[in-house]
Amino acid sequence: YLIGTVALFRTIVFIAYPRLVGKLNGWMLPIGTLLLAASMLVTWAAGDVALFALASCILGLAFGMIYSFSLGHILDRPAKGLYAGLFESAIGIGQIAGPLSMGYIGFAISPSSPYLAMGLLGAASAAAISIYIPSKYPVYSALPQALADAAICREALNIARKVKDLTIEILKT
């Protein structure tokens, strides 16, 4: 039932995508990433089925927002097929690498530690995205095809390193 809940909420976002992108535009990716982090942290803290069900709803919203926003931007590019293929391939790699790496962490540390690690990684990603997007583009603007400048990339990487170090410290305790 819980996997169906994720799919249901993801589908609801797909249906509501035109309205969501109209209201949130450039903020869909940071909000989706923050929801992804929240779902992992709720799963990590979940002590009963109700919280796990809530995490599944949040995860479905996150997947729907991130996937639809990313695919929408990919399909706006001239070489749609190439970018869509790369996008779907990256998802496939993540579906292999994620369970393998998090399974090892769960085995080596504790069964709940992958959820904490992914929650903190998601929070770091949301912070990096939230710094990058507003610094380069005004709120609610269309995102042009551009590269981040070096200072923004360094700042985002510093945040990611701090979150990684914090995660390692938390997992050691």
Side-chain angles (χ1 to χ4, degrees):
Y1 294 110
L2 296 176
I3 292 172
T5 303
V6 172
L8 172 68
F9 277 81
R10 184 186 65 196
T11 303
I12 289 169
V13 172
F14 289 166
I15 293 167
Y17 178 74
R19 285 190 215 136
L20 284 172
V21 80
K23 293 189 183 294
L24 301 175
N25 197 8
W27 288 101
M28 275 192 65
L29 190 57
I31 291 170
T33 308
L34 196 57
L35 287 172
L36 181 62
S39 73
M40 293 296 108
L41 294 173
V42 169
T43 302
W44 173 67
D48 60 10
V49 175
L51 277 177
F52 200 71
L54 173 65
S56 296
C57 296
I58 296 169
L59 184 61
L61 293 173
F63 280 171
M65 290 180 82
I66 294 168
Y67 184 86
S68 59
F69 180 80
S70 300
L71 191 60
H73 280 285
I74 285 170
L75 294 178
D76 285 343
R77 294 178 178 262
K80 294 176 185 163
L82 171 67
Y83 289 113
L86 291 172
F87 177 67
E88 292 296 332
S89 296
I91 290 172
I93 291 168
Q95 288 177 334
I96 292 170
L100 286 173
S101 59
M102 290 299 115
Y104 177 77
I105 288 174
F107 177 76
I109 299 171
S110 77
S112 64
S113 59
Y115 300 106
L116 176 61
M118 292 308 298
L120 294 173
L121 179 62
S125 298
I129 291 168
S130 297
I131 290 168
Y132 171 71
I133 289 176
S135 67
K136 293 296 282 184
Y137 313 105
V139 177
Y140 301 115
S141 70
L143 296 175
Q145 297 177 21
L147 298 174
D149 60 26
I152 292 170
C153 289
R154 278 192 295 276
E155 186 174 354
L157 287 171
N158 285 336
I159 291 170
R161 284 185 193 101
K162 288 177 185 175
V163 170
K164 179 196 74 149
D165 293 342
L166 176 64
T167 304
I168 290 169
E169 287 300 315
I170 290 172
L171 292 174
K172 284 181 182 178
T173 59

